[in-house]
Amino acid sequence: MKLAKRIGNIKPSAIRAVGKKITAIDNCISFAAGLPDPALFPSKEMKEVTDCLLTEKPHIALQYGMTKGYAPLIAKIVNDLNGRNIDCNVANIQMTTGSQQGISFVGMAFLDPGDVVLTENPTYLGALAAFRPYEVILKGVDSESDGMKMDALEDALKNNPRTKLIYLVPTFSNPSGRTWSIDKRKAVIQLANQYDVVIIEDNPYGDIRFEGEHLPTLKSLDTEERVVYLGSYSKILCAGLRVGYICAEQNLVQKIEIIKEGADLQTNQLAQMQVDELLEKIDLDAHIGKVISAYKEKRDLMMACIEKYFPKNIKYTCPEGGMFLWLELPEKMDANVILDKSLLQKVGFVPGGPFFPEGNNENTIRLNFSTTPKNNIEPGIKILGRVLDEAG
Amino acid sequence: MKLAKRIGNIKPSAIRAVGKKITAIDNCISFAAGLPDPALFPSKEMKEVTDCLLTEKPHIALQYGMTKGYAPLIAKIVNDLNGRNIDCNVANIQMTTGSQQGISFVGMAFLDPGDVVLTENPTYLGALAAFRPYEVILKGVDSESDGMKMDALEDALKNNPRTKLIYLVPTFSNPSGRTWSIDKRKAVIQLANQYDVVIIEDNPYGDIRFEGEHLPTLKSLDTEERVVYLGSYSKILCAGLRVGYICAEQNLVQKIEIIKEGADLQTNQLAQMQVDELLEKIDLDAHIGKVISAYKEKRDLMMACIEKYFPKNIKYTCPEGGMFLWLELPEKMDANVILDKSLLQKVGFVPGGPFFPEGNNENTIRLNFSTTPKNNIEPGIKILGRVLDEAG
């Protein structure tokens, strides 16, 4: 049995490896996961709408449906995006199994072996995993608090004529928690136009803003239909249902529909109907408001604890939304060594190195604040602070 | 925007194209779909178990889970397969979004551009769609009532040294309804061993046997762990949940788990738990018994009508199970022309040509009997018989 060449490129998720270590330790405080807080799932309403669907429409909910997706939900998505100044219609939407599948399908649509994908430094690990099977070159572009360094991006585009995609999480990034400024949003669109590349805008966290003004999505600033927007209900409703979507130029969406047909026929039909009915039933803005206030409370607590317990040589981001913050340790400190020490004291996190497509940067750490129970935050950060202090 | 080279290979499903034509006609009798009969979904029990899951375990059911799949369901699958003489354990199983995703992932794991995949003539259209993005050469091997012609398969293996996979639906095939004999099952394993290729055994219909003895799966006859077995709950429980699985050699399964992580993180968590709880709650054998007797009744009726209304120059299979039968018209007859004529009289079906990876065979037709309401079968076959008569 001879595996395909591409299999040499794939590797298991570093997060899941840390997760296994943490699970093996009793009562470990974990800042490693990237999960929504399950206490915020609209479980009661989900039960009600599901009961209704399985009583009234089981012949639709449990049957094969359209590859494109469940039409009433698509109509709601179009309406929602139009309200966010994204000019689109039904022909621009394809439902996917979470936005993860969207990344993978855009990779399949565009990437030949040897092509280049540019990402932020650091970037979402799952995107790297999605692109690797297409035998591409992944290049990280250095980023600062308001987005990529634009001169570094332009250099990367100049030096890599085979660049096909720029993958971005411009709002409350996973892992860094950073958000792109409006100026850089406009600038990246301009560069994409100039160098004829496609931007993937992955936006699972955009609605979870604790403070400050909402900024326009890249898709709403798109002048040549070259932004592929990926949306998801995983972070604002619930993750396990795996309902996400692509909004993109319609010819591309047609190709992706054909890819989807071969890949898995369609996204779970009941799940799409559950989301659709839930959007009818609940006040989504009020629900998101609850998520925001719960996560803001945790972020505030985590920031306060970091200020109190961390040594002064640790740099950190203060995210205006989302689920993550990002630590930079002194250059010679190795987050993997810190992790081993902190696990001995039952505190876990994800070292930041794997979030850089070209490696290195082992002196970085991702901390999640959405999943950890509130009363674990202070004791966990206190221990981590001591470990960092002793190492430094 | 320059799409990947592979996009030149993909094409939309011929079945879905016919489906659109049929949907556009009021009260069209359709033998085109390949759906299970929704009246047979265990909707009441599904509602009960779902209600219970969303009351007692929403924090698990609506949350991210393991990429590999929901452990209790995997344990049941292992147990079930062991009972069917398939020697496997948890390490051999990966959950997938329907067995369609299994085909796609095995393609991703094995196929480099220019590799060859051998299939039956005719074969499942969705498999061709799953393989095409990997830029492979798809070759059909002529088949007869008890499976592939073995000399034709050996010639194909000899003539195509880049053959990586043999894709088979050996039991109640879609589209032909045919079933492989025990001798050919053993012979194909031997050839796979000899030529060092992998067999994909896609078995969504195996349990739906109307008469005769169950035959051993290829996987149970596998001597060198080179059969990848694809199972699915789509045809025996319900299709919309998209729950299937791969059973294969454990190193391969580890690779596929990594592929899955990049492709869509995991299969819908609630859906896996629904299937797991349903298997606890219902008597699966009794339920499958109901499916069998309902489909057998429809098959019997369709066979009787074909005998009564079809001209004698039409050849057809009489499937011992599954959901399909297969027509061979006189060589010069074109099923596409027949379809246009029969649609004028409000009867639809799928022409068989697209089921042949290398094209031609336009004188063939797939008929589905599981989806069509019983009282539509006689009028539909009568009309189709008349159209065939007039054409012949």
Side-chain angles (χ1 to χ4, degrees), chain A residues 46-300:
Chain A
M46 182 64 89
K47 202 178 95 180
E48 285 166 17
V49 302
T50 308
D51 203 62
C52 189
L53 285 169
L54 290 175
T55 306
E56 290 173 14
K57 299 178 186 168
H59 57 292
I60 302 173
L62 303 176
Q63 183 62 293
Y64 288 114
M66 303 303 288
T67 297
K68 184 175 180 69
Y70 184 59
L73 178 55
I74 292 177
K76 284 194 180 63
I77 289 166
V78 167
N79 194 45
D80 175 51
L81 293 177
N82 288 166
R84 296 162 187 252
N85 298 316
I86 293 175
D87 180 22
C88 66
N89 59 51
V90 171
N92 300 109
I93 309 293
Q94 170 64 49
M95 298 307 300
T96 54
T97 304
S99 70
Q100 181 72 31
Q101 191 176 48
I103 308 172
S104 172
F105 284 168
V106 177
M108 188 174 259
F110 282 103
L111 300 173
D112 286 310
D115 282 347
V116 174
V117 179
L118 302 180
T119 77
E120 291 162 278
N121 255 343
T123 191
Y124 170 51
L125 208 60
L128 302 177
F131 294 131
R132 283 199 181 102
Y134 304 113
E135 298 172 71
V136 291
I137 297 158
L138 298 163
K139 290 206 169 282
V141 176
D142 283 339
S143 302
E144 48 203 357
S145 63
D146 64 343
M148 270 179 179
K149 293 179 179 168
M150 278 298 138
D151 50 350
L153 174 59
E154 184 147 22
D155 283 350
L157 287 165
K158 261 186 209 148
N159 297 335
N160 296 285
R162 287 198 59 185
T163 301
K164 286 265 188 79
L165 300 174
I166 305 175
Y167 171 83
L168 303 174
V169 186
T171 309
F172 319 135
S173 165
N174 174 3
S176 75
R178 289 172 184 151
T179 293
W180 284 49
S181 66
I182 178 96
D183 286 349
K184 288 201 171 172
R185 285 170 194 248
K186 287 177 182 164
V188 75
I189 302 275
Q190 213 164 17
L191 282 173
N193 289 347
Q194 189 181 333
Y195 286 87
D196 189 21
V197 299
V198 168
I199 296 173
I200 301 180
E201 177 178 30
D202 194 1
N203 192 26
Y205 311 105
D207 284 329
I208 310 174
R209 176 175 277 281
F210 310 144
E211 60 226 352
E213 290 290 306
H214 277 291
L215 292 169
T217 57
L218 300 180
K219 185 68 187 157
S220 69
L221 300 169
D222 188 10
T223 50
E224 294 183 0
E225 288 202 280
R226 52 175 78 247
V227 175
V228 177
Y229 180 90
L230 303 181
S232 168
Y233 293 99
S234 295
K235 307 305 186 292
I236 55 169
L237 284 179
C238 46
L241 295 191
R242 316 297 302 116
V243 177
Y245 59 89
I246 292 172
C247 173
E249 190 270 328
Q250 66 175 21
N251 292 307
L252 174 61
V253 167
Q254 276 173 22
K255 299 294 183 198
I256 288 178
E257 184 182 348
I258 302 173
I259 289 174
K260 171 92 180 162
E261 204 168 279
D264 64 3
L265 291 180
Q266 60 164 115
T267 297
N268 181 306
Q269 182 76 354
L270 173 60
Q272 295 181 73
M273 293 173 80
Q274 285 171 311
V275 171
D276 179 61
E277 287 292 329
L278 216 52
L279 294 177
E280 293 277 343
K281 188 170 183 84
I282 68 173
D283 178 340
L284 186 64
D285 289 338
H287 174 71
I288 291 173
K290 269 192 248 176
V291 173
I292 289 172
S293 81
Y295 289 179
K296 180 181 186 303
E297 199 182 351
K298 288 185 181 186
R299 183 214 53 178
D300 289 345

Side-chain angles (χ1 to χ4, degrees), chain B residues 63-326:
Chain B
Q63 184 61 293
Y64 287 113
M66 304 302 290
T67 298
K68 186 176 178 70
Y70 184 61
L73 178 56
I74 292 178
K76 284 194 181 63
I77 289 167
V78 167
N79 195 44
D80 174 52
L81 293 177
N82 288 165
R84 296 163 187 251
N85 298 314
I86 292 175
D87 181 22
C88 66
N89 59 51
V90 171
N92 301 109
I93 308 294
Q94 170 65 48
M95 298 306 300
T96 53
T97 303
S99 70
Q100 181 73 32
Q101 191 176 48
I103 308 172
S104 171
F105 284 168
V106 177
M108 187 174 260
F110 283 104
L111 300 173
D112 288 307
D115 282 347
V116 174
V117 179
L118 301 179
T119 77
E120 292 162 278
N121 256 343
T123 191
Y124 170 51
L125 208 59
L128 302 177
F131 294 131
R132 282 199 182 103
Y134 304 113
E135 299 173 71
V136 291
I137 297 157
L138 298 163
K139 288 204 170 284
V141 176
D142 283 340
S143 302
E144 49 203 355
S145 64
D146 64 343
M148 270 179 180
K149 292 180 179 167
M150 280 297 139
D151 49 351
L153 174 60
E154 184 147 21
D155 283 350
L157 288 164
K158 261 186 209 151
N159 297 334
N160 297 285
R162 287 198 58 185
T163 301
K164 285 268 188 75
L165 301 173
I166 305 175
Y167 171 83
L168 302 173
V169 187
T171 309
F172 318 136
S173 164
N174 173 2
S176 76
R178 289 171 184 150
T179 293
W180 284 49
S181 67
I182 177 97
D183 287 348
K184 288 201 171 173
R185 286 170 192 248
K186 288 175 181 166
V188 75
I189 301 276
Q190 213 164 16
L191 282 174
N193 290 346
Q194 189 182 332
Y195 287 88
D196 188 21
V197 299
V198 168
I199 296 173
I200 301 180
E201 177 179 30
D202 194 3
N203 192 28
Y205 312 104
D207 283 329
I208 310 174
R209 177 175 277 282
F210 310 143
E211 62 227 352
E213 290 290 304
H214 278 290
L215 293 168
T217 57
L218 300 179
K219 185 68 187 158
S220 70
L221 300 169
D222 187 11
T223 51
E224 294 183 359
E225 289 202 278
R226 52 176 79 247
V227 176
V228 177
Y229 179 88
L230 304 181
S232 168
Y233 293 99
S234 295
K235 307 306 186 294
I236 55 171
L237 284 181
C238 45
L241 295 190
R242 316 299 303 118
V243 176
Y245 59 88
I246 292 173
C247 173
E249 191 269 326
Q250 66 175 23
N251 293 308
L252 174 61
V253 168
Q254 275 173 23
K255 301 292 184 200
I256 288 177
E257 185 182 346
I258 303 173
I259 289 174
K260 171 92 179 161
E261 205 168 279
D264 64 4
L265 291 181
Q266 59 162 118
T267 297
N268 182 305
Q269 182 75 356
L270 174 61
Q272 294 181 74
M273 294 173 80
Q274 284 172 312
V275 171
D276 179 61
E277 287 293 328
L278 215 53
L279 295 176
E280 293 278 342
K281 189 170 182 86
I282 68 173
D283 178 341
L284 186 63
D285 289 339
H287 173 71
I288 291 173
K290 268 192 248 174
V291 173
I292 289 171
S293 81
Y295 290 180
K296 180 181 186 304
E297 201 183 348
K298 288 186 180 185
R299 183 217 47 182
D300 288 346
L301 177 58
M302 190 177 268
M303 298 308 301
C305 293
I306 285 176
E307 214 154 309
K308 187 167 167 190
Y309 295 111
F310 274 20
K312 295 304 162 216
N313 59 356
I314 309 295
K315 288 187 204 157
Y316 48 88
T317 61
C318 177
E320 291 190 324
M323 297 174 17
F324 302 100
L325 61 84
W326 183 250

